[in-house]
């Protein structure tokens, strides 16, 4: 009979299950288990804090120390008893319950220690007289909220700052919090007649056993920055506060997060973790078949999950969680694990953890070896819903083998794999190696470079010979995969070497290219198609990370989608320069993906230029609004009342207006203020605002610049004001503008403004273009304009003919003036037989020219 079904009747509640004799620890506390189950028939109903309060109120006479120990033992027995008869898939509820139990007992010991220290030495305060607290962080399995039944607890004590305590026996902050920590450990770890609560492991604190028991936040940060090792990054990524002020605790965790997660794709963690794993094998007896450290064991699952978390977590905050189980699912949803690997890791991990905990709860001992007593084997199959012991053993081994395959694939060192190369292939690799400055670099770097070149040779020889063994990942720039023979790339060695030279001092990227063949294949295909990719990646190696996974851009890049993507980038923008770099990276990465789609024939020239134009409009919008806030802050206190951002109208001419932006296109802009008269104060504000806009667009930083900007098309050109009022702009266009300026208005668009302003500009543009004009005057003006251009080819010639026809015929055919794009105007003119029939539709620009 399942415990979960025993919800009524005293006889049923007191029934002793047949497996109880195999678990001395649970049998010892069985009477208490029965009583607890009467209040909490289901494990999911258990409320540990309420249960503790009831228990402590009834047992205060025996003292806190005894209460902590009895409560831990009886409640652990209850949790284990409930868990044994529930499905293995629900074992996570038991792990959470055990963790909640530990949190509660640590907090009770913490409050008792604080009370004792306060009574004796007062409270530590900072320079502003604010009280300071000791904050307890759990690492390891308690940190992840998945504590073993009989595990120790890994704790670290941190205080934010402080001077001396304010009691009669005043103590300096460090000594005060050390003594507080000692009292806490004594309450939890000291053996008494009642046993102990938890063995407390403090070795994960800065400098381990030789460091102070409690350290300040400043000391912790300094240690992690200057002394922190790779394994400590993995330890701290599962840190969780279990006692202390929550707000301060969150601030402390936020302060050390940069040590754990890097903003870039941190592929070097695989090497670091592999070394940690190798070091651990020196102290592990694999013949003992250890559930934790053995092949395909619990630690293998943790290594897979944590390595992927650390690699990608700096750029995706959803991958920064502490729970191993939950992060497996998050890694799958983020595209870092295949569905098959996700299922194996989740269920295999649960089987391993329940098996380990079943062993531990026999006598409440921290055991990991796969060694079940004969008396327990008779019951184990039912705990795991298997036919018999052998069926259970077979399924567990199957999970372990599958986990080991995933682990070995993730940590495989392809660079040292034995590969049969021909003499010509080996000679080619040696020649390419000789071209690189490897003499002063570590040997491991040369091995990685050799691995990249070797993989490139094999890919060029036969794509099928290096197909990925896992469907876990695929490259964004290669949407069809690389499984077809006709997709085998021809190696563009000069371009590949350009990329390798740029990343030769970035071992993380070399490791990625060696280990993840789809990324290298995608890179080879792209650089084969156009030198833009090699040049851009060589200049900005961070773009290699975009080839690691799918980035599906929508068919139409709407401003709403771009805004959402910009917000999801999650790059820190604590100051202006960081914001500028973040926006440059966003533009650079989105632009790169747009060109990848074009190179992979997902979109043609015209649509790609439209996408680049939409990206430019969004970047311009971000710059305008950020610059407005900047200008208001600098011209306080009344700047916000001078000009609000919705009064600005930005008119684009040329490529941006006509949706023909290329990578080399600049922005031809005119700034107009939607007001009747501009006061001196407003004009000064606007000049400052526009200068900030041009600065943000033009400034060269690490990730390049945004766009070159040209303001010569404003009224009166370079001699005119940077900003004009809408009334002045309208008057100029109607009464003083040259015909060539009206021609420029054909390729114009309001790219920033309100809905009302968009309507006003369309009306003004239509009225100007629809004015009657003498054909000879139009042709003469455009001839003069064309002659001033540095280059005029057949496409430019056709463009001028279309613009001339629009200026001449829009008076009689106003539908021409309603069109935004020259291609649409061209079609109407052809239909009206106003252009020669020998003309064909103007070819769209090539995006990368």
């Amino acid at each position: 009979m399942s415990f979960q079904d025993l919800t009524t009747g005293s006889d049923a509640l007191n029934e002793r299950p047949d497996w109880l004799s195999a678990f001395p620890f649970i049998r010892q506390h069985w009477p208490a288990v029965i009583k607890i189950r009467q209040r909490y028939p289901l494990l999911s109903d258990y409320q540990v804090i309420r249960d503790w309060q009831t228990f402590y109120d009834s047992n205060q006479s025996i003292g806190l120390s005894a209460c902590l120990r009895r409560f831990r033992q009886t409640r652990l027995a209850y949790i284990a008893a409930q868990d044994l008869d529930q499905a293995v898939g629900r074992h996570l509820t038991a792990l959470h319950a055990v963790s909640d139990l530990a949190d509660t007992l640590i907090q009770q010991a913490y409050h008792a220690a604080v009370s004792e220290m306060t009574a004796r030495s007062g409270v530590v305060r900072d320079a502003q007289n604010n009280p300071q607290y000791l904050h307890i962080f759990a690492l390891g399995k308690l940190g992840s909220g998945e504590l073993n039944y009989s595990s120790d607890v890994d704790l670290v004590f941190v205080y934010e700052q402080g001077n001396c305590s304010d009691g009669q026996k005043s103590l300096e902050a460090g000594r005060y919090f050390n003594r507080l920590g000692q009292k806490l450990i004594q309450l939890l770890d000291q053996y008494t007649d009642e046993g102990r609560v938890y063995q407390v492991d403090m070795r994960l604190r800065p400098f381990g056993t030789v460091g102070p028991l409690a350290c300040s936040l400043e000391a912790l940060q300094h240690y992690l920055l200057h002394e922190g090792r790779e394994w400590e990054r993995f330890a701290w990524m599962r840190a969780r506060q279990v006692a202390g002020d929550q707000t301060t605790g969150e601030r402390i965790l936020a302060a050390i997060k940069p040590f754990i997660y890097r903003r870039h794709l941190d592929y070097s963690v695989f090497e670091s973790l592999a070394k940690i794993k190798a070091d651990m094998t020196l102290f592990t007896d694999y013949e003992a078949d250890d559930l934790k450290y053995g092949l395909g064991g619990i630690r293998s699952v943790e290594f897979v999950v944590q390595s992927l978390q650390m690699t990608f977590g700096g750029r995706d905050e959803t991958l920064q969680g502490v729970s191993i189980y939950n992060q497996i699912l998050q890694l799958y949803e983020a595209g870092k694990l295949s569905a098959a690997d996700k299922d194996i890791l989740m269920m295999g991990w649960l089987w391993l953890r329940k098996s380990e905990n079943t062993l531990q709860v026999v006598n409440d001992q921290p055991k990991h070896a796969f060694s079940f007593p004969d008396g327990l084997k008779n019951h184990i199959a039912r705990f795991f819903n298997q036919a018999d012991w052998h069926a259970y053993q077979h399924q567990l081994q199957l999970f372990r083998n599958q986990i080991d395959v995933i682990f070995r694939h993730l940590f495989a060192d392809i660079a040292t794999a034995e590969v049969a190369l021909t003499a010509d292939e080996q000679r080619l690799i040696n020649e390419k190696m000789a071209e690189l400055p490897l003499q002063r670099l570590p040997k491991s770097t040369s091995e990685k470079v050799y691995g990249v070149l070797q993989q490139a040779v094999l890919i060029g020889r036969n794509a099928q010979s290096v197909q990925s063994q896992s469907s876990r990942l695929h490259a964004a720039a290669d949407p069809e995969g690389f499984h077809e023979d006709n997709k085998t790339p021809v190696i563009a060695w000069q371009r590949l070497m350009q990329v390798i030279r740029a990343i030769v001092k970035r071992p993380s990227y070399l490791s990625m290219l060696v280990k993840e063949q789809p990324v290298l294949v995608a890179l080879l295909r792209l650089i084969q198609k156009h030198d833009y990719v090699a040049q851009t990646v060589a200049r900005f190696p961070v773009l290699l990370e975009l080839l690691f996974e799918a980035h599906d851009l929508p068919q139409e890049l709407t401003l709403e989608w771009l805004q959402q993507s910009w917000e999801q980038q999650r790059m820190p923008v604590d100051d202006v320069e960081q914001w500028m770099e973040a926006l440059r990276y966003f533009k650079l990465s989105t632009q790169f993906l747009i060109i990848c789609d074009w190179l992979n024939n997902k979109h043609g020239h015209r649509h790609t230029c439209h996408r680049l134009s939409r990206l430019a409009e969004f970047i311009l919008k971000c710059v305008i609004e950020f610059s407005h806030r900047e200008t208001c802050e600098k011209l306080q206190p009344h700047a916000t009342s001078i000009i609000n951002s919705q009064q600005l109208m930005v008119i684009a001419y040329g490529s941006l207006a006509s949706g023909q932006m290329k990578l080399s296109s600049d922005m031809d802009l005119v700034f107009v203020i939607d007001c009747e008269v501009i006061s001196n104060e407003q004009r000064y504000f606007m000049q400052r605002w526009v200068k900030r806009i041009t600065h943000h667009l033009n400034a060269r930083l690490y990730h390049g610049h945004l766009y070159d900007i040209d303001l010569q098309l404003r009224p009166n050109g370079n001699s005119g004001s940077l900003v004009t009022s809408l009334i002045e702009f309208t008057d100029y266009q109607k009464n003083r503008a040259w015909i060539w300026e009206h021609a420029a208005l054909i390729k114009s668009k309001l790219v920033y403004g309100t809905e009302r302003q968009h309507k006003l500009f369309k009306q003004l543009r239509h009225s100007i273009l629809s004015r009657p004009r003498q054909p000879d005057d139009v042709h003469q003006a455009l001839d003069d304009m064309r002659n001033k251009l540095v280059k005029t080819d057949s496409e430019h010639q056709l463009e001028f003919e279309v613009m001339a026809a629009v200026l001449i015929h829009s008076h009689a055919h106003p539908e021409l003036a309603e069109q935004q794009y020259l291609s649409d105007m061209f079609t109407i003119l052809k239909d009206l037989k106003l252009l020669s029939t020998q003309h064909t539709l103007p070819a769209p620009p090539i995006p990368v020219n």
Side-chain angles (χ1 to χ4, degrees):
M1 180 180 293
S2 168
F3 283 172
Q4 308 296 350
D5 297 329
L6 301 179
T7 57
T8 58
S10 58
D11 291 340
L13 288 171
N14 287 280
E15 182 178 328
R16 296 169 67 88
D18 58 358
W19 50 256
L20 189 59
S21 60
F23 293 90
F25 173 71
I26 300 178
R27 187 172 67 245
Q28 175 187 352
H29 299 289
W30 186 248
V33 171
I34 293 296
K35 292 181 181 179
I36 301 168
R37 285 182 52 246
Q38 290 173 343
R39 286 182 288 130
Y40 303 105
L42 300 176
L43 183 57
S44 57
D45 295 335
Y46 183 58
Q47 300 179 40
V48 62
I49 295 178
R50 177 179 294 182
D51 187 25
W52 163 260
Q53 197 59 55
T54 302
F55 178 87
Y56 184 64
D57 289 346
S58 303
N59 294 277
Q60 290 190 37
S61 59
I62 65 174
L64 177 64
S65 176
C67 280
L68 291 172
R69 285 152 178 76
R70 289 187 190 180
F71 188 81
R72 182 258 176 194
Q73 293 165 4
T74 54
R75 272 52 187 179
L76 181 63
Y78 160 74
I79 294 169
Q82 296 291 83
D83 181 50
L84 287 177
D85 265 0
Q86 71 178 0
V88 65
R90 294 185 56 80
H91 185 57
L92 194 64
T93 61
L95 298 180
H96 288 167
V98 173
S99 300
D100 290 343
L101 173 63
D103 286 357
T104 300
L105 297 177
I106 291 171
Q107 289 161 11
Q108 299 308 314
Y110 171 81
H111 293 315
V114 168
S115 296
E116 182 175 325
M117 283 298 299
T118 301
R120 296 176 60 183
S121 300
V123 175
V124 174
R125 299 184 181 276
D126 63 13
Q128 289 73 42
N129 205 36
N130 298 313
Q132 297 296 296
Y133 306 97
L134 184 66
H135 306 279
I136 314 300
F137 294 96
L139 281 64
K141 286 184 170 60
L142 179 56
S144 68
E146 298 155 342
L147 188 65
N148 279 354
Y149 285 174
S150 303
S151 177
D152 58 6
V153 292
D154 297 292
L155 302 181
V156 176
F157 302 154
V158 183
Y159 60 93
E160 195 168 24
Q161 55 182 312
N163 296 314
C164 295
S165 63
D166 57 6
Q168 290 185 345
K169 297 182 178 180
S170 179
L171 293 174
E172 178 271 330
R175 294 182 61 195
Y176 180 96
F177 289 119
N178 277 341
R179 290 190 183 182
L180 176 56
Q182 290 169 350
K183 179 61 181 176
L184 171 65
I185 294 172
Q186 182 182 27
L187 284 170
L188 294 174
D189 202 339
Q190 186 178 49
Y191 266 110
T192 69
D193 292 340
E194 302 283 349
R196 68 178 173 190
V197 189
Y198 294 106
Q199 181 179 353
V200 178
D201 190 337
M202 297 294 299
R203 290 176 295 176
L204 294 179
R205 70 186 188 268
F207 299 107
T209 55
V210 300
L213 203 59
C215 69
S216 67
L217 174 58
E218 181 180 3
L220 176 62
Q221 287 180 297
H222 185 272
Y223 170 81
L224 294 177
L225 179 63
H226 297 284
E227 305 284 346
R229 289 157 288 180
E230 287 297 316
W231 67 263
E232 288 176 296
R233 292 178 63 194
F234 289 93
W236 275 97
M237 73 185 299
R238 295 171 71 184
R240 180 175 62 88
Q241 185 183 16
V242 295
D245 177 66
Q246 183 175 354
T247 301
T248 307
E250 291 174 355
R251 190 161 57 243
I252 292 172
L253 287 175
I256 64 174
K257 185 175 288 187
F259 166 73
I260 306 170
Y261 296 103
R262 309 294 195 243
R263 283 173 54 186
H264 60 274
L265 188 149
D266 192 9
Y267 213 84
S268 61
V269 300
F270 287 100
E271 297 171 23
S272 301
L273 199 52
K275 184 179 185 303
I276 295 170
K277 181 77 163 63
D279 292 341
M280 289 175 54
T281 61
L282 299 177
F283 306 99
T284 303
D285 180 8
Y286 284 112
E287 293 185 0
D289 198 4
D290 195 295
L291 287 167
K292 182 175 182 180
Y293 298 107
L295 295 179
I298 295 168
R299 187 52 57 89
S300 293
V301 177
E302 293 172 348
F303 277 13
V304 169
V305 173
Q306 289 189 274
S307 62
L308 291 173
Q309 277 186 269
M310 194 169 291
T311 302
F312 303 103
R315 300 286 286 275
D316 185 349
E317 290 185 359
T318 65
L319 302 181
Q320 295 182 6
V322 295
S323 165
I324 294 295
Y325 185 86
N326 291 339
Q327 282 305 306
I328 295 173
L329 182 59
Q330 290 294 332
L331 287 165
Y332 164 70
E333 292 181 350
K336 306 301 183 292
L337 288 172
S338 69
D341 287 356
K342 179 258 296 182
D343 292 341
I344 291 169
L345 291 173
M346 292 181 82
M347 188 52 68
W349 183 81
L350 287 172
W351 269 66
L352 287 163
R353 292 300 305 274
K354 184 162 184 173
S355 297
E356 180 186 47
N357 276 323
T358 302
L359 283 170
Q360 292 192 357
V361 82
V362 171
N363 288 302
D364 191 19
Q365 294 294 323
K367 297 179 62 177
H368 308 293
F370 186 70
S371 176
F372 283 82
D374 291 338
L376 185 54
K377 290 181 181 179
N378 298 328
H379 307 288
I380 194 74
R382 180 157 58 90
F383 297 154
F384 288 83
N385 195 30
Q386 298 295 301
D388 52 35
W389 162 256
H390 296 291
Y392 155 78
Q393 201 174 19
H394 173 76
Q395 182 58 58
L396 180 62
Q397 191 58 47
L398 179 60
F399 277 130
R400 295 183 68 175
N401 291 340
Q402 292 171 326
I403 290 169
D404 189 53
V405 168
I406 296 171
F407 176 86
R408 284 188 289 106
H409 173 74
L410 196 62
F411 289 90
D413 189 358
I414 300 174
T416 60
E418 291 294 331
V419 178
L421 297 175
T422 67
D424 288 341
E425 289 171 340
Q426 188 64 61
R427 188 179 304 110
L428 174 62
I429 292 177
N430 293 339
E431 290 174 357
K432 299 303 177 185
M433 292 281 289
E435 295 177 15
L436 299 169
L438 300 173
Q439 294 78 9
R440 297 186 179 182
L441 295 177
K443 181 181 178 183
S444 60
T445 298
S446 297
E447 292 173 349
K448 291 182 178 67
V449 171
Y450 184 91
V452 174
L453 296 173
Q454 175 181 279
Q455 294 302 309
V457 166
L458 294 176
I459 290 167
R461 180 208 292 177
N462 181 2
Q464 293 295 331
S465 67
V466 291
Q467 285 185 16
S468 174
Q469 297 296 315
S470 171
S471 59
R472 179 173 60 85
L473 301 166
H474 75 277
D478 187 27
E480 298 180 20
F482 62 105
H483 303 288
E484 303 174 29
D485 287 332
N486 63 351
K487 301 287 280 187
T488 305
V490 176
I491 308 303
W493 284 107
Q494 184 175 357
R495 295 173 183 174
L496 176 60
M497 295 304 291
Q498 184 179 6
V499 173
I500 293 177
R501 284 189 193 92
I503 64 172
V504 73
K505 293 184 179 180
R506 300 193 181 201
S508 177
Y509 288 152
L510 288 171
S511 296
M512 180 176 68
L513 291 179
V514 171
K515 294 173 66 65
E516 294 299 337
Q517 295 163 16
V519 179
L520 181 56
V521 171
L523 175 66
L524 293 175
R525 289 231 182 96
L526 289 169
I527 63 177
Q528 172 195 347
K529 292 178 178 181
H530 203 284
D531 61 0
Y532 157 80
V533 176
Q535 292 175 0
T536 306
V537 170
R539 188 180 175 195
F540 305 107
V542 67
L543 295 176
L544 279 174
E545 300 176 18
L546 299 179
L547 305 183
F548 195 83
E549 56 191 349
H551 292 271
D552 296 324
L553 299 182
Q555 180 77 9
E556 299 295 334
L557 296 188
T558 63
L559 294 181
E560 292 74 20
W561 183 89
L562 289 164
Q563 180 66 40
Q564 183 180 15
S565 299
W566 164 238
E567 292 172 355
Q568 289 175 347
Q569 183 169 287
R570 299 191 181 102
M571 294 181 73
V573 287
D574 297 335
D575 59 31
V576 175
E577 186 170 337
Q578 283 186 330
W579 178 87
M580 293 173 71
E581 285 289 11
L583 190 62
R584 277 155 179 74
Y585 176 77
F586 176 78
K587 181 248 185 179
L588 182 68
S589 57
T590 307
Q591 177 179 279
F592 183 77
L593 293 174
I594 291 172
I595 300 303
C596 285
D597 281 352
W598 173 68
L599 291 173
N600 282 290
N601 300 317
K602 293 181 69 174
H603 301 286
H605 296 357
R606 192 181 306 278
H607 189 69
T608 299
C609 290
H610 275 293
R611 294 173 119 200
L612 292 173
S613 301
R614 295 298 285 176
L615 174 61
E617 284 187 44
F618 175 74
I619 296 295
L620 179 61
K621 171 181 174 291
C622 292
V623 168
I624 289 170
E625 294 174 354
F626 187 84
S627 299
H628 183 264
R629 291 193 296 272
E630 274 189 305
T631 308
C632 288
E633 290 173 1
K634 290 180 179 179
L635 299 181
Q636 289 289 5
H638 306 299
T640 53
S641 63
I642 298 174
I643 293 287
N644 66 63
S645 60
Q646 291 191 338
Q647 287 179 270
L648 179 63
M649 300 170 62
V650 181
I651 303 166
Y653 288 80
S655 300
L656 178 55
S658 59
Q660 294 184 317
M661 287 286 285
K662 302 179 294 184
L663 297 187
S664 59
S665 296
D666 59 7
M667 287 184 173
D668 295 288
L669 303 177
V670 171
F671 296 93
V672 176
I673 290 298
D674 186 7
C675 60
E676 295 183 1
V677 179
I678 304 178
S679 67
N680 290 336
E681 189 178 25
Q682 289 175 321
R683 194 174 298 277
Y684 176 72
F685 180 94
M686 282 306 308
Q687 288 175 340
R688 293 286 297 270
W689 186 6
V690 171
K691 286 181 179 179
R692 289 308 296 170
I693 292 172
T694 56
H695 168 73
H696 285 308
L697 292 172
N698 287 330
R700 264 66 174 172
L701 299 179
Y702 179 78
H703 288 108
H705 78 299
L706 295 175
Y707 297 95
D708 292 322
I709 184 171
D710 190 336
L711 305 179
Q712 295 183 84
L713 287 175
R714 66 186 185 270
N716 298 310
N718 288 334
S719 62
S721 173
L722 278 178
V723 184
T724 182
S725 71
L726 180 57
I727 291 178
E728 292 170 342
F729 180 80
T730 302
D731 176 69
Y732 181 84
Q733 290 293 337
K734 288 182 176 180
N735 302 312
R736 288 176 287 148
W738 298 83
I739 291 179
W740 68 265
E741 290 179 290
H742 289 171
L745 203 62
I746 293 173
K747 294 170 62 175
S748 68
K749 176 184 177 182
L750 190 70
V751 291
Y752 186 83
T754 64
E755 186 176 344
R756 180 186 67 84
Q757 291 163 350
H758 275 83
K759 185 177 180 180
L760 286 174
F761 180 74
K762 285 182 178 180
Q763 290 173 346
L764 172 62
R765 177 177 176 271
H766 188 279
S767 67
I768 297 297
L769 297 183
S770 301
R771 299 171 78 174
R773 295 177 178 87
Q774 291 298 320
D776 290 344
D777 294 341
V778 172
H779 288 303
Q780 182 62 51
L782 294 190
D783 283 344
D784 293 342
M785 180 179 176
R786 183 171 59 248
N787 292 333
K788 293 178 181 179
L789 295 178
V790 175
K791 177 183 177 183
T792 304
D793 52 25
S794 58
E795 290 183 6
H796 282 88
Q797 175 65 29
L798 177 56
E799 184 174 307
F800 275 99
E801 291 184 25
V802 172
M803 289 194 295
V806 170
L807 290 178
I808 293 169
H809 299 294
S810 289
H811 177 63
H813 302 283
E815 65 270 24
L816 287 168
E818 295 173 359
Q819 305 307 312
Q820 184 65 51
Y821 302 122
L822 281 180
S823 58
D824 296 329
M825 299 175 193
F826 175 86
T827 301
I828 294 174
L829 289 167
K830 289 278 287 186
D831 291 343
L832 294 172
K833 297 184 172 27
L834 297 174
L835 275 182
S836 171
T837 56
Q838 67 181 9
H839 290 314
T840 57
L841 187 68
I846 298 176
V848 295
N849 282 0

